[in-house]
DNA sequence: CTCTCTGCAAATCGTTTGCAGGGTT
DNA sequence: AACCCTGCAAACGATTTGCAGAGAG
């Protein structure tokens, strides 16, 4: 959170990365879309559409359905990718490839930076000929969660 | 499909594995539950709740809500695992650990038997201390799908 | 016999959609 | 000016839930 590693804060760079991609595909830079991207660029982790809407609302009003439409567009353009956490669809900026761990118990999500797992993506590419990996999700139980009681 | 590798067909063994687990947790072996397990035991791949209901109906009537309740129970007991494919929740028997590839374009799912990816689970366990992996999902684009056109 | 489980039907709620006006290029 | 995008409100559809009766142990 020191935010002085570069002249441009990280979230600004992520935001403009997404913006460039969107504009490059011929889509307009509107206020609602900018609000959504701003939220996603600042989020460290994945957010539900509802959470995106709530946070975006703090900076200006916009309609939930517009959030859904924006997110659907961004997903199609591969600006965001989705992840289901605790039964809810969540969205996160797809600006750098990474794997996620998702705890089945507490629903906590951890992003694993590249290299954290050796070269997992490379392993996949090497073994699955023709398959282009876009994301890796590891479900399980995180260290701090108690094992599920057999009810 | 030769189905004579053992005296007990595979689906029977899978079914009774699940049954044992369910009974062991103190739940009753009812006809609807048996129907659902029968479907899952025979399925090679993941099915939506709706598909489970349709197939189960072929062997006897049961209510959709009962299917949902059964699947929720099985998930809680870790008898089944869920996977979101093309925006729909799908269910599969969790009798042996394996990874899945999910194609973002055609929604096709491929189960990777253990060992297919080297020891992916072992790699995860080694690098994520304390995290107990229960499943690995690799999203991406399969060899037969065209790359998404930038719309 | 007791307590769980099921069927039924209504309620829920995240998400989608049609349409007319507004904003971006 | 042309066309894309948004707000609004209604529609949608998968999943959940309350309740009374049926069935498993």
């Amino acid at each position: 959170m020191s935010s002085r590693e570069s002249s441009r804060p990280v979230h600004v760079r992520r935001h403009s990365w997404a913006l460039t991609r969107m504009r490059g595909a011929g889509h307009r830079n509107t206020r609602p879309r900018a609000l959504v991207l701003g939220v996603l660029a600042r989020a460290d982790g994945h957010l539900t559409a509802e959470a995106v809407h709530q946070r975006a609302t703090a900076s200006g009003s916009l309609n939930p359905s517009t959030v859904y439409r924006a997110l659907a567009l961004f997903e199609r353009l591969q600006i965001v990718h989705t992840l289901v956490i605790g039964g809810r669809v969540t969205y996160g900026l797809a600006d750098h490839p990474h794997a996620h761990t998702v705890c089945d118990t507490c629903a906590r999500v951890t992003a694993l930076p590249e290299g954290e797992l050796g070269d997992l993506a490379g392993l996949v590419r090497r073994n699955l000929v023709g398959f282009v990996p876009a994301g890796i999700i590891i479900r399980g139980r995180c260290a701090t969660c108690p094992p599920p009681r057999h009810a």
Side-chain angles (χ1 to χ4, degrees), chain A residues 19-59:
Chain A
L19 214 54
T20 301
R21 221 176 149 92
M22 184 182 81
R23 301 302 313 282
H27 298 276
R28 296 184 177 169
N29 177 23
T30 64
R31 210 177 74 94
R33 284 174 181 169
L35 286 173
V36 169
L37 287 181
V39 168
L40 292 173
R42 255 173 276 258
D44 76 337
H46 282 233
L47 301 172
T48 62
E50 187 187 8
V52 171
H53 177 240
Q54 282 179 352
R55 299 194 187 189
T57 298
S59 311

Side-chain angles (χ1 to χ4, degrees), chain A residues 58-130:
Chain A
S59 311
S61 98
L62 80 176
N63 199 278
S65 62
T66 303
V67 173
Y68 282 107
R69 280 191 275 231
L71 291 173
L73 172 67
F74 297 156
E75 187 183 2
R76 197 154 50 81
L77 299 181
Q78 302 187 50
I79 290 172
V80 304
H81 52 232
T82 63
L83 209 55
V84 174
I85 304 170
R88 300 285 305 266
V89 179
T90 61
Y91 300 83
L93 223 54
D95 53 347
H96 61 91
H98 51 262
H100 291 102
T101 57
V102 181
C103 177
D104 289 336
T105 303
C106 69
R108 203 184 316 273
V109 176
T110 309
L112 305 174
E114 330 176 46
E116 174 78 12
L117 276 178
D119 185 18
L120 196 51
L123 179 64
V124 171
R125 255 191 299 274
R126 237 172 290 123
N127 286 73
L128 299 174
V129 180

